[in-house]
C-alpha cells in the first residue's frame, strides 16, 4: 500500500488525519523495509513495540497491519513518539524516532503554510526519510521468545483461581500466581 492509502485507513479508524498518524505511517513503512518484511495481518514475523499510545500507533498499525489483537504490537509507554521494529525470525531490532528538529524542518518543506499543524501535515508526507526520522539498531533487554510465549499454555493462579495465559505467571516457592496476587498488580482490591 502507498502512503496515501495507508493514511486513508489510519484516518478513517481514527476519525481525523493528524501529523502523528503520518509519522506513524512513515515510520511503520520504514520499519517494514528495514526488517525486509511486507505488511501482513496474518504474519507474526514482525513485532512492533511502540513507545506511546494514541494517534502515532494508529499510523503504525495502518502501515504494518500489526495490532494488539494479533499480538504483533505492544505498547511500552514512555510517552515518546518512537517505535522498535523486530524481525522475530532474526531477532534484529531497529528503533525509529522522528528527528529531533522534525517540526522546524516541516516548516521548510511547506514554506507557504504558516500554520505549524498544517505545515506538519503536508511536510511529513513528503520529507525524505533521512530528514524525517532516525534509525538505530538496538539490542532488546528482554527475552523475545518469552514475550511471544506459546499458544495454548495456561495455568491457574494459586490465590484468585483466574486463568493465566502466555506464561505471564510468577512462580513463588514452586507455586504459580498472577501478577496481581504476586503483588505486582496495577490495581488493588478495595477493602
Ligand atoms: Zn490524531
Ligand atoms: Zn491471582
Amino acid at each position: 500500500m502507498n502512503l496515501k492509502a495507508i493514511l486513508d485507513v489510519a484516518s478513517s479508524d481514527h476519525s481525523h488525519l493528524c501529523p502523528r498518524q503520518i509519522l506513524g505511517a512513515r515510520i511503520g513503512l520504514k520499519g517494514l523495509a528495514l526488517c525486509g518484511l511486507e505488511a501482513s495481518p496474518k504474519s507474526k514475523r514482525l513485532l512492533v513495540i511502540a513507545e506511546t499510545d494514541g494517534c502515532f500507533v494508529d499510523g503504525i498499525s495502518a502501515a504494518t497491519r500489526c495490532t494488539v489483537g494479533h499480538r504483533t504490537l505492544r505498547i511500552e509507554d514512555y510517552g515518546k513518539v518512537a517505535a522498535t521494529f523486530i524481525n522475530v525470525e532474526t531477532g534484529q531490532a531497529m528503533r525509529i524516532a522522528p528527528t529531533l528538529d522534525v517540526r522546524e524542518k516541516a516548516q521548510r518543506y511547506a514554506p507557504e503554510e504558516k500554520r505549524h499543524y498544517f505545515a506538519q501535515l503536508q511536510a511529513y508526507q513528503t520529507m525524505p526519510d533521512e530528514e524525517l526520522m532516525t534509525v538505530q539498531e538496538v539490542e532488546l533487554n528482554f527475552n523475545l521468545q518469552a514475550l511471544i510465549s506459546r499458544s495454548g499454555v495456561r495455568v491457574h493462579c494459586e490465590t484468585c483461581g483466574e486463568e493465566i495465559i502466555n506464561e505471564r505467571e510468577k512462580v513463588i516457592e514452586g507455586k504459580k500466581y498472577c501478577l496481581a496476587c504476586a503483588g505486582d498488580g496495577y490495581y488493588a482490591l478495595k477493602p
Side-chain angles (χ1 to χ4, degrees), residues 27-40 43-48 63-64 66 84-94 96 135 137:
I27 284 174
L29 286 174
K30 185 71 171 180
L32 278 174
L34 289 170
C35 289
L37 298 171
E38 307 253 320
S40 163
S43 164
K44 290 189 190 268
R45 288 173 70 193
L46 178 65
L47 174 67
V48 181
T64 60
C66 288
T84 295
F85 297 81
I86 304 161
N87 182 322
V88 170
E89 282 170 9
T90 64
Q92 192 183 40
M94 308 300 278
I96 311 178
V135 177
E137 184 163 11

Side-chain angles (χ1 to χ4, degrees), residues 29-138:
L29 286 174
K30 185 71 171 180
L32 278 174
L34 289 170
C35 289
L37 298 171
E38 307 253 320
S40 163
K42 294 205 187 88
S43 164
K44 290 189 190 268
R45 288 173 70 193
L46 178 65
L47 174 67
V48 181
I49 300 183
E51 296 181 19
T52 181
D53 52 12
C55 307
F56 176 64
V57 179
D58 282 349
I60 292 181
S61 270
T64 60
R65 312 288 302 274
C66 288
T67 64
V68 171
H70 196 52
R71 303 194 69 235
T72 47
L73 173 67
R74 300 184 67 85
I75 311 289
E76 278 289 321
D77 199 349
Y78 294 0
K80 293 170 82 176
V81 172
T84 295
F85 297 81
I86 304 161
N87 182 322
V88 170
E89 282 170 9
T90 64
Q92 192 183 40
M94 308 300 278
R95 182 177 181 276
I96 311 178
T99 47
L100 298 180
D101 56 350
V102 72
R103 288 204 181 98
E104 292 78 61
K105 282 183 192 150
Q107 215 59 51
R108 288 211 307 275
Y109 280 84
E112 68 297 336
E113 179 55 75
K114 297 295 170 238
R115 296 165 300 174
H116 296 313
Y117 181 93
F118 291 96
Q120 288 161 25
L121 216 50
Q122 280 181 36
Y124 291 172
Q125 298 184 53
T126 55
M127 282 165 70
D129 285 357
E130 54 286 4
E131 296 267 356
L132 190 76
M133 60 187 99
T134 52
V135 177
Q136 304 160 293
E137 184 163 11
V138 295

